[in-house]
Amino acid sequence: MLEAYLFPISYAFLTFPIAALLCAVPFLIVQYRKYGYFNKFRGFLLYLFLLYLLNAVYLVLLPLPASRHNAPMDVSSVIQWIPLNFIHDIVKETQVVLSEPGTYIHLIKERAFLQVVFNILLVVPFGMFLRYYARVNWRACLVASFGLSLFFEVTQVTGIYGFYDHPYRLFDVDDLLTNTLGGMVGFVLADWMKNHLPRMDRLDEKVDLSKKRVSYTRRAIAFGIDAMITLPVIGIMSVVLNVKAAYFIVVILYYIVMPYMLEGQTVGKWIVRIRIQGQGEHLKLKEIIIRNGLLYVVWGGIHALLITLSFPGSGFLYALYVMGMLLIDGVVMVHLLRCLFNHERTLLHEAKSGTRQVIAEKRQPAAGRSEGNAV
């Protein structure tokens, strides 16, 4: 019977790297938005929880039917409505004699008993996470554990919401009870665990965001978000509306005018909670023109002109332009790598403009409101 559990667990560990990669940016954005920085211990717990969820889902769903057009199960009903029916199953299948304690060892070999134990253990980590990380009360843990179990049961009994022609697992009310019990057991265990681990509500007590360096990962996420906003606009203006200088119009409005008006923020920077800071209290127009002018108008413009410029009858001039652009890109790449590996170095456009990226202050919630639990 243990092999039936080891098979889904092995798949969970195999697919975890892919899931971790897909969740990396959302995890980082949420942490940046809520806390202003990424705490490694908090990140470790989130990925540990992700690994747990993968294991839980695979244990519930696998193995899948061989075909979408599966045959119906040979049962009178796909729903088992009788509470505590597992007790009857254990008594029926086990060789345990209540008056003989020596026979109790047989329980660990019986399918009915092991299924109950595993159903409880399945949701124990969920309850522990809710109390320790999210700091919810027992009522919220009870509802969430029941909700998770209900999601599992409905997913099974609907054949993964109609993907399969027929259900391939029973909807068992006992699973709801044992899963929910497991969540509450985890809630109780977390009370012991929190005494041996850092307190989640005190992780940020000694953190001074004004002294924290804005990582290149954070900058790259902001850059990517801004690119996803501006590139489609540039494409529509260039191809559909036939605006020749579309790139430069969008870049000037988005990367120069917007940050100047919004205290150094674009949409991408706002999402990851950073901003451009100049020499004074307020960002000057000259500073943002030099900074983003060098980065987007000059360096980015060189690439944009490659598409818009024409070199009639002269492939040599085109090749010369491409070679010059690649040479500039090589210099930029070397400069970027040197800054990546030496945090004392400053990027050229920041050094020339006298600007830097800092963590933006979080707006205080309105009076009478309190922030939700940890995410």
mmCIF file of all heavy atoms in Angstrom, residues 261-307:
data_model
loop_
_atom_site.group_PDB
_atom_site.id
_atom_site.type_symbol
_atom_site.label_atom_id
_atom_site.label_comp_id
_atom_site.label_asym_id
_atom_site.label_seq_id
_atom_site.Cartn_x
_atom_site.Cartn_y
_atom_site.Cartn_z
ATOM 1 N N MET A 261 6.507 62.830 -12.925
ATOM 2 C CA MET A 261 5.247 63.229 -12.300
ATOM 3 C C MET A 261 4.895 62.356 -11.093
ATOM 4 O O MET A 261 4.203 62.811 -10.188
ATOM 5 C CB MET A 261 4.114 63.158 -13.331
ATOM 6 C CG MET A 261 4.272 64.131 -14.492
ATOM 7 S SD MET A 261 2.931 63.979 -15.700
ATOM 8 C CE MET A 261 1.532 64.484 -14.709
ATOM 9 N N LEU A 262 5.388 61.106 -11.081
ATOM 10 C CA LEU A 262 5.011 60.154 -10.030
ATOM 11 C C LEU A 262 6.161 59.850 -9.084
ATOM 12 O O LEU A 262 6.256 58.747 -8.534
ATOM 13 C CB LEU A 262 4.488 58.858 -10.653
ATOM 14 C CG LEU A 262 3.246 58.998 -11.544
ATOM 15 C CD1 LEU A 262 2.854 57.650 -12.115
ATOM 16 C CD2 LEU A 262 2.084 59.617 -10.777
ATOM 17 N N GLU A 263 7.024 60.806 -8.861
ATOM 18 C CA GLU A 263 8.129 60.657 -7.902
ATOM 19 C C GLU A 263 8.994 59.433 -8.181
ATOM 20 O O GLU A 263 9.307 58.649 -7.284
ATOM 21 C CB GLU A 263 7.588 60.595 -6.468
ATOM 22 C CG GLU A 263 7.033 61.916 -5.953
ATOM 23 C CD GLU A 263 8.109 62.997 -5.830
ATOM 24 O OE1 GLU A 263 9.237 62.655 -5.453
ATOM 25 O OE2 GLU A 263 7.809 64.165 -6.135
ATOM 26 N N GLY A 264 9.352 59.272 -9.467
ATOM 27 C CA GLY A 264 10.311 58.241 -9.825
ATOM 28 C C GLY A 264 9.744 56.857 -10.029
ATOM 29 O O GLY A 264 10.504 55.877 -10.013
ATOM 30 N N GLN A 265 8.446 56.742 -10.262
ATOM 31 C CA GLN A 265 7.856 55.410 -10.431
ATOM 32 C C GLN A 265 7.189 55.247 -11.785
ATOM 33 O O GLN A 265 6.562 56.159 -12.305
ATOM 34 C CB GLN A 265 6.839 55.130 -9.328
ATOM 35 C CG GLN A 265 7.451 54.839 -7.969
ATOM 36 C CD GLN A 265 6.435 54.309 -6.981
ATOM 37 O OE1 GLN A 265 5.329 54.820 -6.868
ATOM 38 N NE2 GLN A 265 6.804 53.267 -6.249
ATOM 39 N N THR A 266 7.364 54.062 -12.346
ATOM 40 C CA THR A 266 6.562 53.586 -13.468
ATOM 41 C C THR A 266 5.620 52.516 -12.905
ATOM 42 O O THR A 266 5.657 52.228 -11.708
ATOM 43 C CB THR A 266 7.460 52.971 -14.557
ATOM 44 O OG1 THR A 266 8.217 51.896 -13.959
ATOM 45 C CG2 THR A 266 8.420 54.002 -15.138
ATOM 46 N N VAL A 267 4.832 51.923 -13.768
ATOM 47 C CA VAL A 267 3.931 50.868 -13.287
ATOM 48 C C VAL A 267 4.733 49.701 -12.719
ATOM 49 O O VAL A 267 4.434 49.173 -11.645
ATOM 50 C CB VAL A 267 2.997 50.383 -14.420
ATOM 51 C CG1 VAL A 267 2.162 49.191 -13.941
ATOM 52 C CG2 VAL A 267 2.105 51.504 -14.887
ATOM 53 N N GLY A 268 5.791 49.295 -13.433
ATOM 54 C CA GLY A 268 6.608 48.183 -12.969
ATOM 55 C C GLY A 268 7.276 48.467 -11.635
ATOM 56 O O GLY A 268 7.308 47.618 -10.740
ATOM 57 N N LYS A 269 7.800 49.666 -11.479
ATOM 58 C CA LYS A 269 8.460 50.038 -10.220
ATOM 59 C C LYS A 269 7.437 50.131 -9.090
ATOM 60 O O LYS A 269 7.738 49.780 -7.948
ATOM 61 C CB LYS A 269 9.202 51.367 -10.390
ATOM 62 C CG LYS A 269 10.380 51.293 -11.349
ATOM 63 C CD LYS A 269 11.131 52.608 -11.391
ATOM 64 C CE LYS A 269 12.210 52.593 -12.471
ATOM 65 N NZ LYS A 269 13.169 51.497 -12.323
ATOM 66 N N TRP A 270 6.243 50.594 -9.396
ATOM 67 C CA TRP A 270 5.206 50.671 -8.367
ATOM 68 C C TRP A 270 4.819 49.276 -7.890
ATOM 69 O O TRP A 270 4.635 49.051 -6.687
ATOM 70 C CB TRP A 270 3.977 51.386 -8.921
ATOM 71 C CG TRP A 270 2.824 51.374 -7.960
ATOM 72 C CD1 TRP A 270 2.620 52.194 -6.899
ATOM 73 C CD2 TRP A 270 1.707 50.468 -7.988
ATOM 74 N NE1 TRP A 270 1.452 51.863 -6.245
ATOM 75 C CE2 TRP A 270 0.866 50.809 -6.890
ATOM 76 C CE3 TRP A 270 1.332 49.424 -8.827
ATOM 77 C CZ2 TRP A 270 -0.308 50.116 -6.629
ATOM 78 C CZ3 TRP A 270 0.156 48.742 -8.558
ATOM 79 C CH2 TRP A 270 -0.645 49.097 -7.469
ATOM 80 N N ILE A 271 4.738 48.330 -8.816
ATOM 81 C CA ILE A 271 4.342 46.971 -8.456
ATOM 82 C C ILE A 271 5.357 46.328 -7.524
ATOM 83 O O ILE A 271 4.985 45.653 -6.550
ATOM 84 C CB ILE A 271 4.142 46.114 -9.717
ATOM 85 C CG1 ILE A 271 2.854 46.560 -10.440
ATOM 86 C CG2 ILE A 271 4.056 44.621 -9.384
ATOM 87 C CD1 ILE A 271 2.600 45.855 -11.748
ATOM 88 N N VAL A 272 6.657 46.517 -7.783
ATOM 89 C CA VAL A 272 7.676 45.918 -6.916
ATOM 90 C C VAL A 272 8.129 46.876 -5.813
ATOM 91 O O VAL A 272 9.068 46.598 -5.080
ATOM 92 C CB VAL A 272 8.903 45.433 -7.729
ATOM 93 C CG1 VAL A 272 8.487 44.377 -8.742
ATOM 94 C CG2 VAL A 272 9.601 46.593 -8.418
ATOM 95 N N ARG A 273 7.474 48.015 -5.726
ATOM 96 C CA ARG A 273 7.671 48.972 -4.637
ATOM 97 C C ARG A 273 9.081 49.555 -4.587
ATOM 98 O O ARG A 273 9.742 49.538 -3.559
ATOM 99 C CB ARG A 273 7.337 48.330 -3.303
ATOM 100 C CG ARG A 273 6.502 49.225 -2.398
ATOM 101 C CD ARG A 273 6.208 48.542 -1.100
ATOM 102 N NE ARG A 273 6.858 49.205 0.005
ATOM 103 C CZ ARG A 273 6.833 48.755 1.262
ATOM 104 N NH1 ARG A 273 6.210 47.641 1.554
ATOM 105 N NH2 ARG A 273 7.428 49.424 2.229
ATOM 106 N N ILE A 274 9.517 50.083 -5.719
ATOM 107 C CA ILE A 274 10.769 50.831 -5.752
ATOM 108 C C ILE A 274 10.529 52.135 -6.502
ATOM 109 O O ILE A 274 9.526 52.284 -7.203
ATOM 110 C CB ILE A 274 11.910 50.044 -6.431
ATOM 111 C CG1 ILE A 274 11.529 49.658 -7.863
ATOM 112 C CG2 ILE A 274 12.291 48.823 -5.617
ATOM 113 C CD1 ILE A 274 12.644 48.952 -8.621
ATOM 114 N N ARG A 275 11.461 53.071 -6.380
ATOM 115 C CA ARG A 275 11.359 54.332 -7.108
ATOM 116 C C ARG A 275 12.751 54.891 -7.355
ATOM 117 O O ARG A 275 13.722 54.486 -6.710
ATOM 118 C CB ARG A 275 10.518 55.347 -6.339
ATOM 119 C CG ARG A 275 11.122 55.798 -5.016
ATOM 120 C CD ARG A 275 10.216 56.781 -4.293
ATOM 121 N NE ARG A 275 10.816 57.231 -3.036
ATOM 122 C CZ ARG A 275 11.653 58.255 -2.923
ATOM 123 N NH1 ARG A 275 12.008 58.953 -4.008
ATOM 124 N NH2 ARG A 275 12.162 58.596 -1.756
ATOM 125 N N ILE A 276 12.824 55.809 -8.294
ATOM 126 C CA ILE A 276 14.084 56.479 -8.601
ATOM 127 C C ILE A 276 14.221 57.683 -7.678
ATOM 128 O O ILE A 276 13.296 58.485 -7.559
ATOM 129 C CB ILE A 276 14.123 56.937 -10.072
ATOM 130 C CG1 ILE A 276 13.948 55.744 -11.005
ATOM 131 C CG2 ILE A 276 15.427 57.671 -10.369
ATOM 132 C CD1 ILE A 276 13.715 56.123 -12.453
ATOM 133 N N GLN A 277 15.366 57.812 -7.055
ATOM 134 C CA GLN A 277 15.616 58.941 -6.167
ATOM 135 C C GLN A 277 16.803 59.745 -6.681
ATOM 136 O O GLN A 277 17.834 59.181 -7.045
ATOM 137 C CB GLN A 277 15.920 58.457 -4.744
ATOM 138 C CG GLN A 277 16.184 59.582 -3.753
ATOM 139 C CD GLN A 277 16.330 59.080 -2.336
ATOM 140 O OE1 GLN A 277 15.356 58.631 -1.725
ATOM 141 N NE2 GLN A 277 17.544 59.129 -1.807
ATOM 142 N N GLY A 278 16.628 61.055 -6.708
ATOM 143 C CA GLY A 278 17.693 61.939 -7.160
ATOM 144 C C GLY A 278 18.515 62.468 -6.002
ATOM 145 O O GLY A 278 18.499 61.919 -4.894
ATOM 146 N N GLN A 279 19.229 63.560 -6.249
ATOM 147 C CA GLN A 279 20.092 64.133 -5.223
ATOM 148 C C GLN A 279 19.301 64.859 -4.137
ATOM 149 O O GLN A 279 19.708 64.911 -2.987
ATOM 150 C CB GLN A 279 21.077 65.123 -5.870
ATOM 151 C CG GLN A 279 22.047 64.471 -6.845
ATOM 152 C CD GLN A 279 23.021 63.536 -6.148
ATOM 153 O OE1 GLN A 279 23.495 63.816 -5.052
ATOM 154 N NE2 GLN A 279 23.319 62.407 -6.780
ATOM 155 N N GLY A 280 18.173 65.428 -4.524
ATOM 156 C CA GLY A 280 17.367 66.170 -3.561
ATOM 157 C C GLY A 280 16.175 65.379 -3.064
ATOM 158 O O GLY A 280 16.043 64.166 -3.300
ATOM 159 N N GLU A 281 15.272 66.095 -2.385
ATOM 160 C CA GLU A 281 14.079 65.433 -1.844
ATOM 161 C C GLU A 281 13.153 64.981 -2.956
ATOM 162 O O GLU A 281 12.509 63.935 -2.865
ATOM 163 C CB GLU A 281 13.349 66.408 -0.899
ATOM 164 C CG GLU A 281 12.137 65.799 -0.220
ATOM 165 C CD GLU A 281 11.452 66.771 0.733
ATOM 166 O OE1 GLU A 281 11.997 67.874 0.967
ATOM 167 O OE2 GLU A 281 10.369 66.428 1.237
ATOM 168 N N HIS A 282 13.068 65.783 -4.015
ATOM 169 C CA HIS A 282 12.212 65.455 -5.151
ATOM 170 C C HIS A 282 13.067 65.217 -6.396
ATOM 171 O O HIS A 282 14.082 65.892 -6.603
ATOM 172 C CB HIS A 282 11.202 66.575 -5.417
ATOM 173 C CG HIS A 282 10.256 66.803 -4.270
ATOM 174 N ND1 HIS A 282 9.226 65.953 -3.967
ATOM 175 C CD2 HIS A 282 10.214 67.804 -3.342
ATOM 176 C CE1 HIS A 282 8.569 66.406 -2.904
ATOM 177 N NE2 HIS A 282 9.149 67.533 -2.509
ATOM 178 N N LEU A 283 12.641 64.273 -7.216
ATOM 179 C CA LEU A 283 13.353 63.950 -8.446
ATOM 180 C C LEU A 283 13.238 65.109 -9.430
ATOM 181 O O LEU A 283 12.145 65.602 -9.709
ATOM 182 C CB LEU A 283 12.767 62.677 -9.054
ATOM 183 C CG LEU A 283 13.446 62.121 -10.303
ATOM 184 C CD1 LEU A 283 14.873 61.657 -9.971
ATOM 185 C CD2 LEU A 283 12.626 60.963 -10.881
ATOM 186 N N LYS A 284 14.373 65.538 -9.964
ATOM 187 C CA LYS A 284 14.386 66.660 -10.912
ATOM 188 C C LYS A 284 14.223 66.147 -12.336
ATOM 189 O O LYS A 284 14.619 65.027 -12.662
ATOM 190 C CB LYS A 284 15.702 67.436 -10.788
ATOM 191 C CG LYS A 284 15.903 68.097 -9.432
ATOM 192 C CD LYS A 284 17.244 68.793 -9.366
ATOM 193 C CE LYS A 284 17.462 69.434 -7.994
ATOM 194 N NZ LYS A 284 18.788 70.086 -7.892
ATOM 195 N N LEU A 285 13.655 67.000 -13.182
ATOM 196 C CA LEU A 285 13.437 66.623 -14.575
ATOM 197 C C LEU A 285 14.762 66.330 -15.271
ATOM 198 O O LEU A 285 14.868 65.372 -16.053
ATOM 199 C CB LEU A 285 12.690 67.739 -15.312
ATOM 200 C CG LEU A 285 12.358 67.468 -16.790
ATOM 201 C CD1 LEU A 285 11.495 66.226 -16.928
ATOM 202 C CD2 LEU A 285 11.685 68.681 -17.420
ATOM 203 N N LYS A 286 15.790 67.122 -14.974
ATOM 204 C CA LYS A 286 17.093 66.918 -15.587
ATOM 205 C C LYS A 286 17.651 65.543 -15.222
ATOM 206 O O LYS A 286 18.233 64.855 -16.068
ATOM 207 C CB LYS A 286 18.065 68.013 -15.128
ATOM 208 C CG LYS A 286 19.471 67.860 -15.685
ATOM 209 C CD LYS A 286 20.386 68.949 -15.141
ATOM 210 C CE LYS A 286 21.820 68.761 -15.634
ATOM 211 N NZ LYS A 286 22.722 69.808 -15.109
ATOM 212 N N GLU A 287 17.448 65.131 -13.985
ATOM 213 C CA GLU A 287 17.970 63.843 -13.532
ATOM 214 C C GLU A 287 17.303 62.678 -14.259
ATOM 215 O O GLU A 287 17.971 61.739 -14.698
ATOM 216 C CB GLU A 287 17.764 63.698 -12.021
ATOM 217 C CG GLU A 287 18.595 64.664 -11.191
ATOM 218 C CD GLU A 287 18.251 64.647 -9.717
ATOM 219 O OE1 GLU A 287 17.060 64.373 -9.394
ATOM 220 O OE2 GLU A 287 19.146 64.905 -8.891
ATOM 221 N N ILE A 288 15.994 62.748 -14.415
ATOM 222 C CA ILE A 288 15.293 61.647 -15.073
ATOM 223 C C ILE A 288 15.553 61.646 -16.574
ATOM 224 O O ILE A 288 15.600 60.584 -17.211
ATOM 225 C CB ILE A 288 13.768 61.704 -14.773
ATOM 226 C CG1 ILE A 288 13.090 60.390 -15.177
ATOM 227 C CG2 ILE A 288 13.113 62.873 -15.467
ATOM 228 C CD1 ILE A 288 13.527 59.197 -14.404
ATOM 229 N N ILE A 289 15.766 62.832 -17.161
ATOM 230 C CA ILE A 289 16.092 62.895 -18.591
ATOM 231 C C ILE A 289 17.443 62.244 -18.859
ATOM 232 O O ILE A 289 17.595 61.455 -19.800
ATOM 233 C CB ILE A 289 16.081 64.352 -19.088
ATOM 234 C CG1 ILE A 289 14.639 64.886 -19.147
ATOM 235 C CG2 ILE A 289 16.726 64.456 -20.467
ATOM 236 C CD1 ILE A 289 14.546 66.347 -19.538
ATOM 237 N N ILE A 290 18.439 62.560 -18.033
ATOM 238 C CA ILE A 290 19.762 61.972 -18.223
ATOM 239 C C ILE A 290 19.722 60.468 -17.976
ATOM 240 O O ILE A 290 20.249 59.687 -18.781
ATOM 241 C CB ILE A 290 20.795 62.641 -17.287
ATOM 242 C CG1 ILE A 290 20.968 64.112 -17.656
ATOM 243 C CG2 ILE A 290 22.132 61.912 -17.359
ATOM 244 C CD1 ILE A 290 21.854 64.885 -16.700
ATOM 245 N N ARG A 291 19.100 60.081 -16.891
ATOM 246 C CA ARG A 291 19.067 58.658 -16.509
ATOM 247 C C ARG A 291 18.358 57.811 -17.552
ATOM 248 O O ARG A 291 18.958 56.941 -18.187
ATOM 249 C CB ARG A 291 18.381 58.501 -15.144
ATOM 250 C CG ARG A 291 18.237 57.050 -14.725
ATOM 251 C CD ARG A 291 17.233 56.875 -13.617
ATOM 252 N NE ARG A 291 17.006 55.471 -13.372
ATOM 253 C CZ ARG A 291 17.698 54.700 -12.539
ATOM 254 N NH1 ARG A 291 18.688 55.229 -11.852
ATOM 255 N NH2 ARG A 291 17.421 53.425 -12.396
ATOM 256 N N ASN A 292 17.068 58.045 -17.743
ATOM 257 C CA ASN A 292 16.291 57.218 -18.653
ATOM 258 C C ASN A 292 16.506 57.592 -20.112
ATOM 259 O O ASN A 292 16.193 56.809 -21.013
ATOM 260 C CB ASN A 292 14.814 57.280 -18.282
ATOM 261 C CG ASN A 292 14.505 56.455 -17.045
ATOM 262 O OD1 ASN A 292 15.373 55.769 -16.513
ATOM 263 N ND2 ASN A 292 13.274 56.526 -16.565
ATOM 264 N N GLY A 293 17.026 58.802 -20.338
ATOM 265 C CA GLY A 293 17.398 59.161 -21.703
ATOM 266 C C GLY A 293 18.538 58.296 -22.201
ATOM 267 O O GLY A 293 18.515 57.783 -23.326
ATOM 268 N N LEU A 294 19.564 58.114 -21.358
ATOM 269 C CA LEU A 294 20.689 57.253 -21.732
ATOM 270 C C LEU A 294 20.236 55.804 -21.906
ATOM 271 O O LEU A 294 20.661 55.108 -22.841
ATOM 272 C CB LEU A 294 21.775 57.318 -20.654
ATOM 273 C CG LEU A 294 22.650 58.568 -20.623
ATOM 274 C CD1 LEU A 294 23.541 58.563 -19.386
ATOM 275 C CD2 LEU A 294 23.498 58.657 -21.890
ATOM 276 N N LEU A 295 19.372 55.333 -21.018
ATOM 277 C CA LEU A 295 18.979 53.930 -21.014
ATOM 278 C C LEU A 295 17.986 53.595 -22.119
ATOM 279 O O LEU A 295 18.167 52.617 -22.862
ATOM 280 C CB LEU A 295 18.379 53.565 -19.649
ATOM 281 C CG LEU A 295 17.975 52.108 -19.430
ATOM 282 C CD1 LEU A 295 19.176 51.188 -19.629
ATOM 283 C CD2 LEU A 295 17.370 51.916 -18.050
ATOM 284 N N TYR A 296 16.939 54.389 -22.251
ATOM 285 C CA TYR A 296 15.855 54.040 -23.170
ATOM 286 C C TYR A 296 15.904 54.800 -24.495
ATOM 287 O O TYR A 296 15.626 54.219 -25.545
ATOM 288 C CB TYR A 296 14.497 54.273 -22.489
ATOM 289 C CG TYR A 296 14.285 53.391 -21.283
ATOM 290 C CD1 TYR A 296 14.400 53.903 -19.996
ATOM 291 C CD2 TYR A 296 13.987 52.044 -21.430
ATOM 292 C CE1 TYR A 296 14.215 53.098 -18.879
ATOM 293 C CE2 TYR A 296 13.798 51.227 -20.327
ATOM 294 C CZ TYR A 296 13.921 51.757 -19.049
ATOM 295 O OH TYR A 296 13.741 50.949 -17.953
ATOM 296 N N VAL A 297 16.232 56.095 -24.453
ATOM 297 C CA VAL A 297 16.245 56.879 -25.684
ATOM 298 C C VAL A 297 17.505 56.575 -26.501
ATOM 299 O O VAL A 297 17.429 56.315 -27.710
ATOM 300 C CB VAL A 297 16.153 58.392 -25.382
ATOM 301 C CG1 VAL A 297 16.212 59.192 -26.692
ATOM 302 C CG2 VAL A 297 14.868 58.717 -24.632
ATOM 303 N N VAL A 298 18.669 56.571 -25.832
ATOM 304 C CA VAL A 298 19.925 56.350 -26.559
ATOM 305 C C VAL A 298 20.148 54.860 -26.821
ATOM 306 O O VAL A 298 20.164 54.411 -27.973
ATOM 307 C CB VAL A 298 21.120 56.952 -25.785
ATOM 308 C CG1 VAL A 298 22.426 56.646 -26.528
ATOM 309 C CG2 VAL A 298 20.948 58.448 -25.619
ATOM 310 N N TRP A 299 20.328 54.077 -25.738
ATOM 311 C CA TRP A 299 20.636 52.659 -25.938
ATOM 312 C C TRP A 299 19.458 51.912 -26.574
ATOM 313 O O TRP A 299 19.621 51.174 -27.541
ATOM 314 C CB TRP A 299 21.009 52.013 -24.603
ATOM 315 C CG TRP A 299 21.378 50.578 -24.735
ATOM 316 C CD1 TRP A 299 22.453 50.060 -25.396
ATOM 317 C CD2 TRP A 299 20.640 49.459 -24.225
ATOM 318 N NE1 TRP A 299 22.454 48.687 -25.324
ATOM 319 C CE2 TRP A 299 21.360 48.278 -24.601
ATOM 320 C CE3 TRP A 299 19.479 49.329 -23.476
ATOM 321 C CZ2 TRP A 299 20.924 47.007 -24.269
ATOM 322 C CZ3 TRP A 299 19.047 48.050 -23.129
ATOM 323 C CH2 TRP A 299 19.764 46.912 -23.528
ATOM 324 N N GLY A 300 18.253 52.121 -26.036
ATOM 325 C CA GLY A 300 17.084 51.467 -26.631
ATOM 326 C C GLY A 300 16.788 51.997 -28.020
ATOM 327 O O GLY A 300 16.357 51.249 -28.907
ATOM 328 N N GLY A 301 17.039 53.292 -28.236
ATOM 329 C CA GLY A 301 16.769 53.892 -29.545
ATOM 330 C C GLY A 301 17.641 53.330 -30.644
ATOM 331 O O GLY A 301 17.217 53.226 -31.803
ATOM 332 N N ILE A 302 18.869 52.944 -30.292
ATOM 333 C CA ILE A 302 19.756 52.326 -31.281
ATOM 334 C C ILE A 302 19.127 51.055 -31.846
ATOM 335 O O ILE A 302 19.188 50.791 -33.053
ATOM 336 C CB ILE A 302 21.132 52.020 -30.644
ATOM 337 C CG1 ILE A 302 21.866 53.315 -30.303
ATOM 338 C CG2 ILE A 302 21.973 51.155 -31.568
ATOM 339 C CD1 ILE A 302 23.144 53.105 -29.516
ATOM 340 N N HIS A 303 18.495 50.286 -30.995
ATOM 341 C CA HIS A 303 17.852 49.054 -31.444
ATOM 342 C C HIS A 303 16.557 49.353 -32.205
ATOM 343 O O HIS A 303 16.235 48.669 -33.180
ATOM 344 C CB HIS A 303 17.555 48.160 -30.237
ATOM 345 C CG HIS A 303 18.787 47.704 -29.516
ATOM 346 N ND1 HIS A 303 19.499 48.514 -28.671
ATOM 347 C CD2 HIS A 303 19.443 46.501 -29.541
ATOM 348 C CE1 HIS A 303 20.534 47.846 -28.181
ATOM 349 N NE2 HIS A 303 20.528 46.624 -28.685
ATOM 350 N N ALA A 304 15.826 50.372 -31.750
ATOM 351 C CA ALA A 304 14.578 50.732 -32.431
ATOM 352 C C ALA A 304 14.847 51.251 -33.839
ATOM 353 O O ALA A 304 14.106 50.945 -34.785
ATOM 354 C CB ALA A 304 13.827 51.784 -31.620
ATOM 355 N N LEU A 305 15.931 52.005 -34.001
ATOM 356 C CA LEU A 305 16.256 52.565 -35.315
ATOM 357 C C LEU A 305 16.652 51.487 -36.310
ATOM 358 O O LEU A 305 16.504 51.656 -37.521
ATOM 359 C CB LEU A 305 17.384 53.587 -35.181
ATOM 360 C CG LEU A 305 17.001 54.920 -34.514
ATOM 361 C CD1 LEU A 305 18.238 55.792 -34.313
ATOM 362 C CD2 LEU A 305 15.961 55.665 -35.342
ATOM 363 N N LEU A 306 17.159 50.374 -35.804
ATOM 364 C CA LEU A 306 17.535 49.279 -36.692
ATOM 365 C C LEU A 306 16.330 48.776 -37.482
ATOM 366 O O LEU A 306 16.458 48.339 -38.621
ATOM 367 C CB LEU A 306 18.141 48.132 -35.875
ATOM 368 C CG LEU A 306 18.637 46.909 -36.670
ATOM 369 C CD1 LEU A 306 19.810 47.299 -37.562
ATOM 370 C CD2 LEU A 306 19.024 45.780 -35.733
ATOM 371 N N ILE A 307 15.149 48.858 -36.849
ATOM 372 C CA ILE A 307 13.919 48.382 -37.496
ATOM 373 C C ILE A 307 13.351 49.445 -38.425
ATOM 374 O O ILE A 307 12.843 49.146 -39.504
ATOM 375 C CB ILE A 307 12.875 47.984 -36.433
ATOM 376 C CG1 ILE A 307 13.452 46.888 -35.527
ATOM 377 C CG2 ILE A 307 11.584 47.519 -37.077
ATOM 378 C CD1 ILE A 307 12.562 46.536 -34.358
#
